[in-house]
Amino acid sequence: MNGILKDEWICHLAMFRDYEEALREIGREIGFYNNVRPHMSIGNKKPMDVYSGEDPGKNLWKKD
């Protein structure tokens, strides 16, 4: 998650006025990452759908 925040968002887009704004925006991006953005590593599903069991899947990056 940290690498994705740094590579995909903060380094390229974000300029914060203060600490509180940074917290709000980073929280918003984490919400997007977990609830909206599909991940190839879990079969193009959203992490919270898989975590909550609504859309079961297996970790495709791990070897069983």
Side-chain angles (χ1 to χ4, degrees):
M1 179 70 215
N2 289 333
I4 288 173
L5 270 175
K6 291 175 189 174
D7 292 341
E8 290 185 7
W9 186 69
I10 292 174
C11 290
H12 303 287
L13 303 174
M15 295 294 288
F16 305 115
R17 287 178 284 200
D18 55 33
Y19 182 74
E20 287 76 24
E21 181 182 25
L23 285 177
R24 265 192 320 275
E25 292 300 315
I26 291 169
R28 201 171 66 120
E29 284 303 307
I30 290 171
F32 173 79
Y33 178 88
N34 286 328
N35 298 297
V36 178
R37 181 181 185 267
H39 296 257
M40 287 176 45
S41 62
I42 52 175
N44 283 321
K45 298 174 185 164
K46 295 174 269 181
M48 287 309 291
D49 290 346
V50 172
Y51 179 75
S52 66
E54 294 172 18
D55 192 5
K58 64 178 186 172
N59 296 335
L60 301 177
W61 67 90
K62 289 185 178 180
K63 294 184 180 183
D64 293 331

